[in-house]
Structures are given as C-alpha cells and as structure tokens.
Amino acid sequence: MQLKGLVSIAIKFIKDWSLMMFKISTFLVKTSEGEESYISLDDSLKLREIFEHRKFTPEHIQMHIKIQYNDQIVVGNDIPRGLDLWTDYIVGIEQYLDGENVEIPYGIDPYLMKLISINSNLLELSIVGDWEPVEVFAKAILPKREFLEAILDGATHFWTTLNDYKVFKEKNTKNTTPKEYLDIITTLITTTTK
C-alpha cells in the first residue's frame, strides 16, 4: 500500500515538473490616450478596474498570451495582441486532437496559428502573418503532451478568473460561459492525458 502511494506521488511530481517547464501568462490590453499597457491576469487590483469599467465587454477581450518554455520565450511581446485568443487556442487544440495538423486564424487580424505534428512526442507551434511574404512571429518545436496540458491549464486559469470576477453575470451576456469553456477544457485534458 505504501509503495502505491509513493508511485502516485512520483507520477504527480513528474507531471507537475513537466508543466513547470512551461509558463503561460495572460495579459489584458488596456488602451489609454493611445498608449497600450498589459495588465496581468494575476494583478487583482488593476483587473477589477478593467472589469468594472463601463465600456468593458467580455465578448471582445483584447489580450496577449505569453508562452515560455524552459525560460525561453516562445510567444512573447512581439506577437500581436488579439481578441479572444484563448478561444483560438482551445479551438486549435480541439482540431489538433481530431486531425493532427492545424492552421487557424489567431485573433481577428490576418495572423495564423499553426500546430503541426512532428512525431508522437513533438509538435511545432507557429504564429505567422497571413500575407506574402510570410512573416514568422513565433516558431518552436515543443513536447506535445506537456504543451497541450500547459495551454489547457492557462485557459482554465483565464476562464476561472473571469468566472471568479463574475464578469459574465454582471454584463448579462448570452454567449458561451466560462463554465462551458471549463467543461470543454476538462474534456480536452482527459483526451490529452490518455
């Protein structure tokens, strides 16, 4: 019985360690007098100020998602911000799990996110301009399972934060709710860990 407990602790440690290789950060974009600033999803004081602003609408959240792998920036500040990027990541992962290679719009501007399977353990993530000549904003070969789990954890954190601040209830929206996104994420996590 003790050995079984140690094995489960070791498995949890390995999973937690592999997720530590990734750091996913979400920033909301605040524009004031033509200047943009990025507000961390973990900055509760400034976040509440954004959510309580009379012009804030949860249907169109300008955001920036930063992805780091082993302390190297994969998707950083040079990647354009966009609307509802977490939705794009979730849709991309769903399509990736269904068909291996994905090329979908990234935000509302002419950018594409690509997820290409390299082998059973690796995938290539790239964000490129959708024009000629193609401009590459991000490109990296990443461990497939760990990347997918880290992205899903980041999305969960985003939607949980919106849910905690009651953003959708206060604004009385009718679109997909954070709970529905969390259900989708839970399903995807189950699929990626098999």
Side-chain angles (χ1 to χ4, degrees):
M1 188 67 168
Q2 272 188 328
L3 183 58
K4 195 175 195 178
L6 288 173
V7 168
S8 84
I9 290 171
I11 290 171
K12 183 182 178 342
F13 174 77
I14 290 168
K15 181 181 179 201
D16 291 346
W17 179 256
S18 67
L19 289 177
M20 287 178 12
M21 295 186 300
F22 283 95
K23 181 177 181 190
I24 312 293
S25 306
T26 304
F27 301 90
L28 301 188
V29 179
K30 181 180 178 183
T31 306
S32 178
E33 298 177 18
E35 293 289 317
E36 283 187 356
S37 60
Y38 295 106
I39 310 302
S40 170
L41 201 60
D42 298 319
D43 187 338
S44 60
L45 191 60
K46 289 183 180 178
L47 205 56
R48 178 153 310 279
E49 182 182 310
I50 288 175
F51 292 152
E52 290 176 351
H53 192 276
R54 65 181 173 76
K55 291 186 178 179
F56 174 77
T57 174
E59 292 91 359
H60 306 290
I61 299 175
Q62 283 282 348
M63 67 180 70
H64 173 74
I65 297 172
K66 183 177 180 181
I67 301 172
Q68 292 175 271
Y69 175 63
N70 286 338
D71 295 324
Q72 298 294 315
I73 295 173
V74 175
V75 176
N77 293 335
D78 53 340
I79 304 296
R81 60 176 171 62
L83 288 176
D84 305 321
L85 295 179
W86 277 119
T87 302
D88 295 342
Y89 278 99
I90 296 303
V91 168
I93 289 173
E94 281 182 310
Q95 290 178 9
Y96 180 80
L97 292 173
D98 284 342
E100 291 298 313
N101 294 328
V102 171
E103 184 175 299
I104 63 169
Y106 187 79
I108 63 168
D109 294 318
Y111 302 104
L112 297 173
M113 176 175 59
K114 299 180 181 184
L115 297 170
I116 300 169
S117 186
I118 302 298
N119 59 37
S120 62
N121 297 318
L122 299 172
L123 65 74
E124 178 183 290
L125 164 70
S126 60
I127 299 173
V128 300
D130 189 18
W131 58 81
E132 294 295 330
V134 173
E135 186 174 353
V136 177
F137 292 96
K139 188 173 186 175
I141 307 290
L142 303 168
K144 185 183 301 188
R145 182 175 175 209
E146 291 85 354
F147 171 73
L148 295 175
E149 288 178 354
I151 287 295
L152 294 173
D153 283 348
T156 300
H157 178 61
F158 173 74
W159 290 110
T160 300
T161 300
L162 290 182
N163 202 35
D164 290 347
Y165 280 91
K166 298 177 179 36
V167 168
F168 288 84
K169 289 178 185 173
E170 291 174 10
K171 297 296 181 175
N172 212 9
T173 62
K174 305 238 185 286
N175 291 339
T176 306
T177 65
K179 171 140 181 30
E180 291 169 322
Y181 277 108
L182 291 173
D183 290 343
I184 292 168
I185 291 167
T186 301
T187 301
L188 290 173
I189 288 172
T190 304
T191 305
T192 61
T193 57
K194 287 183 180 176

